[in-house]
Amino acid sequence: MELLPTIAAVRNYVAAARHRGLTIGLVPTMGYLHEGHLSLARAARQQNDVVIMSIFVNPTQFGPNEDFARYPRDLERDRELAAGAGVDAVFAPAVAEMYPAGYATYVHVEGLTEVLCGASRPGHFRGVTTVVSKLFNIVQPDRAYFGQKDYQQALVIKKMVRDLNFPVEIITIPTVREADGLALSSRNKYLTPEQRRSALSLHRALNLGSELIKAGEREAAAVRRAMEKEITAWPETRIDYIAISDAGTLKPLERIAGRVLLALAVWVGNTRLIDNVVLEVSD
Ligand code: PAF
């Protein structure tokens, strides 16, 4: 497996692959890989001739008081895991390679980025869409792979791709969970054993909300109240948001119908976790 530390090295690698008529799949990550990332890599392996994974903890998507500095990093381990999942090359640039001194250009998707995680993390999606645009321009992939756990991120990137005419197909892959239902996340590493138990409240609340809706509840406020009660019953939890929204527009719903997103962000101690589920709901 190749390690490509610079944009020039990626461009050479991609040019050689294109010269041979090969298709390219890109798996953008911030590293500290888990099964969720590896499921993206395996899907990319099946659908493309060449798989490139980027590993870059992107400073522009972290707020000033967020966990950029302490975000877990382990490139050696990541390289081995990526190779095992069929990745051909890892692009792992330094921050100065992506954002040299004087860097001043950002990509902003309006609307979809102003709610849910965008409301609690101002500037976050601007950082995501900027770095993903740069990665698309550098790698020029045929397909790019994103996890369903970051539902809003995938939706924002799809919108950006449509609006800016990027010639790339965005593929979303279902969330990978631990046996007890906790969604995999590199941030799970921050949790103490007690907090790890409380982190299950996200999955439990989503299950509870889904069950209520399946049983016929159509009032979003009632579903939200039940989910809130479930989460706050666990130690060290603090709700950032619980959204019951149209899965396409992210507009909040009062009455639950159609393709519905239940999404939440919850602080467990000092760790902010997110999870979601999408339901098809008949009237
Ligand atoms: O989902 C992530 O890990 C990041 O937001 C991404 C897409 C790699 C951009 O930095």
Side-chain angles (χ1 to χ4, degrees):
M1 209 215 24
E2 298 247 1
L3 181 64
L4 309 169
T6 62
I7 293 165
V10 178
R11 288 212 193 279
N12 285 337
Y13 185 88
V14 166
R18 290 289 181 210
H19 189 69
R20 294 168 59 206
L22 303 178
T23 57
I24 296 172
L26 171 67
V27 183
T29 79
M30 298 205 300
Y32 211 71
L33 303 179
H34 52 62
E35 263 309 305
H37 301 111
L38 301 179
S39 70
L40 306 182
R42 289 189 199 103
R45 176 71 284 157
Q46 281 180 1
Q47 297 173 353
N48 304 274
D49 299 319
V50 173
V51 178
I52 301 179
M53 175 182 277
S54 60
I55 297 183
F56 179 62
V57 184
N58 173 36
T60 63
Q61 70 188 74
F62 289 81
N65 298 319
E66 293 186 351
D67 56 343
F68 173 69
R70 70 173 184 135
Y71 195 87
R73 292 158 170 91
D74 190 342
L75 186 56
E76 272 320 299
R77 174 179 166 277
D78 285 350
R79 280 174 67 176
E80 274 174 36
L81 290 171
V87 171
D88 297 303
V90 163
F91 174 42
V95 170
E97 179 77 3
M98 294 295 272
Y99 300 108
Y103 186 89
T105 305
Y106 293 87
V107 177
H108 173 59
V109 173
E110 293 179 353
L112 287 177
T113 60
E114 280 142 33
V115 292
L116 313 186
C117 288
S120 3
R121 301 184 69 191
H124 168 67
F125 286 115
R126 175 179 181 262
V128 170
T129 44
T130 298
V131 81
V132 170
S133 302
K134 287 171 68 71
L135 291 169
F136 287 174
N137 284 331
I138 293 163
V139 177
Q140 306 202 346
D142 297 279
R143 300 181 189 83
Y145 295 79
F146 296 88
Q148 192 80 21
K149 186 175 78 76
D150 296 292
Y151 181 91
Q152 185 178 12
Q153 169 172 280
L155 203 63
V156 167
I157 289 168
K158 283 183 186 160
K159 177 79 177 133
M160 174 188 84
V161 160
R162 272 199 308 278
D163 286 356
L164 294 183
N165 312 101
F166 279 105
V168 56
E169 185 185 352
I170 302 302
I171 302 200
T172 51
I173 301 291
T175 304
V176 179
R177 298 177 180 281
E178 304 272 14
D180 62 4
L182 178 69
L184 296 194
S185 162
S186 305
R187 290 189 168 98
N188 292 348
K189 177 184 158 55
Y190 299 147
L191 303 171
T192 64
E194 165 89 338
Q195 290 169 345
R196 167 68 182 74
R197 278 190 288 281
S198 288
L200 254 194
S201 63
L202 283 86
H203 180 59
R204 296 241 176 151
L206 289 171
N207 270 352
L208 178 64
S210 307
E211 288 308 319
L212 286 171
I213 294 168
K214 280 180 197 149
E217 181 60 73
R218 293 291 178 267
E219 287 303 320
V223 174
R224 187 180 296 102
R225 270 197 305 276
M227 291 172 70
E228 264 167 25
K229 203 166 156 211
E230 171 66 38
I231 293 165
T232 51
W234 294 75
E236 293 191 68
T237 56
R238 184 164 55 82
I239 295 169
D240 177 356
Y241 68 78
I242 296 176
I244 302 175
S245 309
D246 180 281
T249 63
L250 301 185
K251 294 238 158 56
L253 296 173
E254 280 177 24
R255 192 168 166 75
I256 297 171
R259 208 164 151 264
V260 175
L261 171 72
L262 301 189
L264 37 77
V266 175
W267 288 95
V268 180
N270 291 327
T271 305
R272 184 177 174 280
L273 300 174
I274 58 172
D275 201 352
N276 68 80
V277 65
V278 176
L279 306 169
E280 289 290 345
V281 184
S282 57
D283 234 341

